[in-house]
Amino acid sequence: MLIPGMEADLVHGRAGTRSERKQAAIVGAAAEVFLSTGYAGASMDEIASRSGVSKQTVYKHFSSKEALFVGVLTQMMGEADTAVHTGLPQVENRAQLEAYLLDYAVRQLTIVLTPGLMQLRRLVIAEAQRFPELAKVLYARGPARALEVMGSAFEQLAGKKLLQFSDATVAASQFNWLVMADPVNRVMMLGDAAIPTKQQIYRHAEAAVATFLAAFLHPDKR
């Protein structure tokens, strides 16, 4: 249910002190419990049992169930952020620009549209009224982070006269919505069965990039 590779790293704690390995095990077990039973149904006793530590140890690392959920949220979104935002490669012409945007869009959709992250999003939305801080963390680590990274990249691309816009954040938001809106809405409402195939992701990303460039490609590159 987690991002590929994340669960094993958390459970086995490949590096760090004994305390860090225990904390990683707790977060890994908590992710399984929260995503399988929901926030309200999650038991700290079960999390302790699954992580192989005492309940007292769980509370030593996380003061409350809400704090532990924030830890899970932070870990999962951090893993997604690392996988999606790999930095701006060498982009000097229109062909390289199109390739960069397409690669980013495909990577973002592939990472975000996983059962674990979609389940996490639904869970946070369900608890948003009772625990608004959870929604704030999800937004900051997800959409807001994506806009920050893409806005910075777009500023650099505008400096190379590859893109043209009046506001980098607006351009980043337009790109993000072209890429993410329909696929994410479908999976959020229809469940895992609506997760697109690799071919569908690629076709959707191609169309999103083409629409974005029709609006924001620098006139000199048309």
Side-chain angles (χ1 to χ4, degrees):
M1 287 188 291
L2 305 182
I3 297 170
M6 173 186 166
E7 186 172 4
D9 288 346
L10 288 174
V11 171
H12 297 296
R14 293 181 178 177
T17 65
R18 182 181 179 187
S19 177
E20 289 170 341
R21 291 194 297 272
K22 283 185 178 181
Q23 180 164 318
I26 293 167
V27 172
E32 295 177 356
V33 174
F34 281 125
L35 294 183
S36 63
T37 66
Y39 182 83
S43 163
M44 296 294 268
D45 288 314
E46 183 179 359
I47 291 170
S49 177
R50 288 200 189 193
S51 58
V53 302
S54 67
K55 188 174 179 180
Q56 182 180 7
T57 299
V58 174
Y59 279 110
K60 179 180 177 181
H61 287 273
F62 299 95
S63 60
S64 64
K65 186 163 77 169
E66 183 177 359
L68 178 52
F69 188 78
V70 169
V72 170
L73 182 61
T74 299
Q75 180 69 43
M76 291 183 69
M77 298 307 294
E79 290 282 332
D81 177 66
T82 299
V84 172
H85 303 126
T86 58
L88 181 64
Q90 190 72 14
V91 179
E92 302 295 343
N93 55 50
R94 177 171 177 167
Q96 291 176 341
L97 174 63
E98 291 178 351
Y100 162 68
L101 292 174
L102 181 59
D103 177 71
Y104 178 91
V106 169
R107 188 168 61 251
Q108 185 180 34
L109 284 168
T110 301
I111 294 298
V112 172
L113 295 177
T114 57
L117 286 178
M118 287 292 97
Q119 208 167 344
L120 180 69
R121 185 183 289 250
R122 294 188 199 99
L123 184 54
V124 170
I125 290 173
E127 299 292 342
Q129 286 192 328
R130 288 198 300 166
F131 302 103
E133 290 303 316
L134 300 180
K136 291 179 181 178
V137 172
L138 177 64
Y139 182 79
R141 299 279 179 168
R145 170 64 176 162
L147 295 185
E148 177 188 357
V149 173
M150 289 307 297
S152 176
F154 286 177
E155 288 280 12
Q156 296 178 57
L157 294 170
K160 296 181 178 183
K161 293 187 177 181
L162 291 168
L163 296 178
Q164 184 176 39
F165 44 74
S166 58
D167 189 312
T169 301
V170 171
S173 178
Q174 293 290 313
F175 180 73
N176 188 65
W177 276 97
L178 284 168
V179 172
M180 302 296 290
D182 182 60
V184 170
N185 281 339
R186 284 178 181 271
V187 178
M188 283 290 292
M189 296 178 185
L190 302 179
D192 294 352
I195 293 177
T197 65
K198 291 181 179 179
Q199 292 76 16
Q200 289 171 329
I201 285 176
Y202 191 86
R203 288 197 299 269
H204 176 78
E206 277 189 316
V209 169
T211 301
F212 177 79
L213 290 178
F216 294 103
L217 185 66
H218 194 283
D220 292 348
K221 300 298 185 291
R222 295 184 186 277

